Amino acid sequence: MEEQTLQIRRLSALLEVSQALGSTLDMGEAFEKTLEILDRELGLKRGAIALQDEGDKLSIKYAHGMSDSEIKRGKYRLDEGVTGRVASTGKPVIVPQVSKEPLFLNRTSRRSEGQEESFVCVPIRDRRKTVGVLSVIFPYQQNRNYDDLVKLLSIIVGMIGQSLRLGQMVQQEKALLTEENTLLKRELQQKYDFRNIVGTSKEMREVYEQVAQVAHSNTTVLVRGESGTGKELVAHAIHYNSPRAAKPFVKVNCAALPETLIEAELFGHEKGAFTGAMARKRGRFELADGGTLFLDEIGDLSPAMQVKLLRVLQEREFERVGGVETVKVNVRMITATNVDLETAVQDGRFRSDLYYRLNVFSIYLPPLRERRTDILLLAEHFLDKYNKQSGKRIKRISTPAIDMLMSYHWPGNVRELENVIERTTLVADGNVIHGYHLPPTLQTAEGSGTVTRVSLEQAVAAFEKDMIKDALKTTRGNRARAARMLDTTERILGYKVKNYEIDCKRYRG
């Protein structure tokens, strides 16, 4: 009956150890709990898990029933004492009476005179390599079944070895993710450095100065400008050049979310707050804690949401939807809009107190038609970008195509220009972008404001003139090479150059 009870306790110990090791990735917590279970179910006096350090040394990492000073003394060479022998040979050792074993070093023992103890030490293995040992000390019993005990401990160290391997893999994965995260943050900082924003016009230089002034503060920023001018890019530049650069940058498009969802999206919600709220969810304000929250299209917020946003800006606190707990946040606010907020305030569509809270530092992004000197720079930037993406080698944009880009009014601003260059890169079949590669909107009166109507003869002549100009540009004004490129004679080319009043000197140098 006693043997049966002992077997039940050992099976119970195995089950509890398995649960302890599988319930957490914290190895310290799991191993200490394992030793506590062995104490409770098997009646050990002390237990320790020693792991191999770098080199040929073992150190006790986790222990039960030992003081800090005893744990510190638990260091062994691989050839030292019973513990070192188990680690070096990979075989378990049983010492029924420690007082009669000369190899037992007694470094962590508190054995009183006359109190005999038994010592069992089994190796912890990982992929056939010994990585540590589990040692336990029991009160001496003359008829103790050590074979069954060693079998039980061997199963337990097998589980400990698997846990060590899993913990090692988790640590490696964490280190890899941390490194990747650091690299990504560095790339983002480089990508969104305001010095990388394309444009050298006077208007854009003023924008750069404003970004540099406000980036290192915690001031609320309002970015204004038409759709497609790059407001989000400026918000990124402010964040990644600020002291909050290592913290989250969270963006929300207020116009893209229905009024019924935007409150829960911004402030989060509690479980059961509404139909479908199956669990608590953190809102964008909480996710951006310590970093920056970018609210795009702020002018489209409903009056009810304007009131709630005003409170967060004033108090830096809010309650989740369906909750009563007050959540405090430390968030820098950057907002953007293409709406005339002053008119909206006068019309009663936007709260004046919220407007003054948001309009602490305002940055205006000019439309592309007001910074035409940047059009060619932007076009070349996007050409390089989509060359890399599509694997093409388009080297330049022809003069007629440049003229068409420069004369267009760009209602969609930089975003429209990027889309035009992406499309043009795909349809161009050579290494030069010509006017006929551009979208029809840039080639019509409605799109470009150019000639409204031409005859077939005029159209052919214009096309021929463009081809000659392009050839002369390629050959740097050399008529003979240009003629060969166009598969004609130099005499015919000279006649057409004279007829079209083309100045070859313009293309030399």
Side-chain angles (χ1 to χ4, degrees):
M1 188 66 180
E2 186 178 341
E3 182 64 25
Q4 188 177 3
T5 303
L6 184 60
Q7 290 296 333
I8 291 171
R9 293 189 69 179
R10 287 176 175 173
L11 288 173
S12 175
L14 272 179
L15 176 62
E16 287 191 56
V17 167
S18 175
Q19 291 173 340
L21 293 173
S23 64
T24 178
L25 290 174
D26 185 340
M27 294 298 99
E29 179 185 339
F31 293 159
E32 286 171 7
K33 197 169 182 180
T34 296
L35 293 170
E36 288 176 11
I37 293 167
L38 293 178
D39 178 21
R40 185 175 67 249
E41 297 296 336
L42 304 181
L44 62 86
K45 289 179 67 177
R46 294 186 301 283
I49 294 174
L51 300 177
Q52 189 170 339
D53 299 324
E54 293 182 5
D56 295 334
K57 286 190 176 181
L58 282 172
S59 299
I60 293 178
K61 303 296 184 184
Y62 312 101
H64 179 71
M66 294 184 187
S67 65
D68 291 341
S69 60
E70 289 168 339
I71 292 172
K72 287 179 181 177
R73 293 200 300 268
K75 298 182 185 295
Y76 310 90
R77 296 192 307 272
L78 292 187
D79 58 351
E80 187 178 29
V82 176
T83 301
R85 176 183 288 184
V86 172
S88 61
T89 63
K91 295 179 180 179
V93 170
I94 302 167
V95 182
Q97 293 177 270
V98 296
S99 63
K100 297 181 180 180
E101 175 55 63
L103 285 176
F104 189 75
L105 300 177
N106 199 28
R107 285 186 181 166
T108 62
S109 178
R110 292 177 292 175
R111 180 166 55 90
S112 304
E113 197 67 34
Q115 291 183 341
E116 188 61 87
E117 295 173 339
S118 301
F119 179 78
V120 180
C121 188
V122 290
I124 301 171
R125 300 176 70 82
D126 179 23
R127 297 184 183 92
R128 299 183 179 180
K129 178 184 176 183
T130 301
V131 294
V133 298
L134 167 64
S135 57
V136 292
I137 293 177
F138 295 93
Y140 171 69
Q141 288 182 8
Q142 189 171 2
N143 297 320
R144 187 184 294 275
N145 187 339
Y146 290 105
D147 290 339
D148 286 352
L149 179 60
V150 169
K151 287 178 183 177
L152 173 69
L153 294 178
S154 296
I155 295 171
I156 290 173
V157 295
M159 293 189 285
I160 290 173
Q162 289 179 340
S163 295
L164 282 170
R165 187 189 315 164
L166 179 62
Q168 199 173 44
M169 290 169 63
V170 169
Q171 289 301 319
Q172 289 173 347
E173 189 70 21
K174 277 185 178 179
L176 184 62
L177 287 172
T178 301
E179 184 180 353
E180 287 180 356
N181 194 30
T182 303
L183 287 172
L184 284 172
K185 284 180 177 176
R186 191 176 299 129
E187 286 178 11
L188 283 171
Q189 284 179 316
Q190 292 172 353
K191 179 180 178 181
Y192 292 113
D193 190 311
F194 66 88
R195 289 182 291 271
N196 292 334
I197 300 175
V198 179
T200 58
S201 62
K202 175 178 176 292
E203 293 83 359
M204 287 308 295
R205 288 199 300 271
E206 290 176 359
V207 170
Y208 303 150
E209 288 175 7
Q210 290 177 310
V211 171
Q213 287 170 354
V214 79
H216 294 286
S217 69
N218 287 316
T219 303
T220 300
V221 181
L222 175 62
V223 186
R224 313 181 69 164
E226 295 180 8
S227 180
T229 50
K231 296 186 290 295
E232 185 176 327
L233 193 63
V234 169
H236 274 288
I238 293 170
H239 171 73
Y240 287 108
N241 288 277
S242 75
R244 297 173 180 260
K247 298 294 183 179
F249 177 86
V250 179
K251 52 190 176 183
V252 182
N253 189 320
C254 300
L257 294 169
E259 188 177 346
T260 52
L261 292 180
I262 192 166
E263 183 179 1
E265 194 66 30
L266 288 177
F267 306 125
H269 61 73
E270 298 288 351
K271 180 179 179 181
F274 49 82
T275 304
M278 306 303 293
R280 173 189 281 186
K281 179 186 175 183
R282 298 168 68 203
R284 302 296 180 93
F285 270 98
E286 282 186 85
L287 294 174
D289 191 27
T292 303
L293 180 64
F294 174 55
L295 297 181
D296 200 3
E297 307 297 351
I298 192 72
D300 293 335
L301 276 182
S302 67
M305 277 306 303
Q306 290 177 31
V307 174
K308 292 174 181 176
L309 180 60
L310 178 63
R311 185 206 164 193
V312 180
L313 288 171
Q314 289 174 335
E315 308 297 335
R316 300 291 173 178
E317 62 182 32
F318 60 91
E319 288 82 37
R320 299 186 191 94
V321 176
V324 294
E325 179 189 352
T326 300
V327 181
K328 292 185 177 291
V329 288
N330 173 20
V331 171
R332 181 189 192 163
M333 290 285 296
I334 300 178
T335 56
T337 184
N338 58 8
V339 173
D340 184 346
L341 291 183
E342 288 80 7
T343 302
V345 169
Q346 290 176 4
D347 295 344
R349 291 180 286 112
F350 202 84
R351 293 181 63 95
S352 59
D353 46 4
L354 178 58
Y355 167 73
Y356 294 124
R357 281 280 177 183
L358 296 176
N359 194 31
V360 178
F361 190 97
S362 181
I363 297 177
Y364 172 71
L365 287 179
L368 192 55
R369 61 183 173 275
E370 293 180 8
R371 41 182 284 228
R372 292 189 179 276
T373 53
D374 292 333
I375 291 175
L376 186 55
L377 281 173
L378 286 162
E380 290 175 345
H381 168 75
F382 293 133
L383 178 60
D384 182 57
K385 174 182 175 180
Y386 290 108
N387 260 339
K388 292 174 182 176
Q389 286 190 13
S390 60
K392 291 197 171 184
R393 299 183 66 184
I394 300 173
K395 295 180 179 178
R396 62 185 181 84
I397 304 172
S398 69
T399 302
I402 290 173
D403 292 340
M404 292 171 71
L405 292 173
M406 295 295 289
S407 62
Y408 185 58
H409 62 289
W410 299 109
N413 294 295
V414 179
R415 186 183 294 122
E416 184 182 7
L417 174 60
E418 180 175 5
N419 292 340
V420 165
I421 298 300
E422 181 180 8
R423 175 193 181 276
T424 306
T425 305
L426 291 174
V427 300
D429 49 5
N431 59 3
V432 178
I433 290 177
H434 295 283
Y436 54 82
H437 291 136
L438 296 174
T441 51
L442 272 73
Q443 303 181 37
T444 62
E446 293 79 12
S448 64
T450 53
V451 179
T452 56
R453 192 171 183 180
V454 293
S455 66
L456 177 61
E457 183 181 356
Q458 289 173 318
V460 170
F463 182 69
E464 188 175 50
K465 184 177 179 181
D466 287 345
M467 287 188 68
I468 294 170
K469 281 183 174 180
D470 202 44
L472 287 169
K473 181 184 286 187
T474 303
T475 60
R476 297 182 179 274
N478 187 314
R479 286 194 192 186
R481 286 176 57 200
R484 288 195 295 272
M485 179 182 288
L486 295 172
D487 200 18
T488 187
T489 64
E490 188 175 353
R491 185 180 66 81
I492 292 174
L493 181 64
Y495 167 76
K496 291 185 180 293
V497 164
K498 182 179 179 181
N499 189 42
Y500 290 134
E501 298 180 346
I502 298 172
D503 183 9
C504 295
K505 296 178 182 178
R506 177 184 172 190
Y507 303 103
R508 292 173 186 166

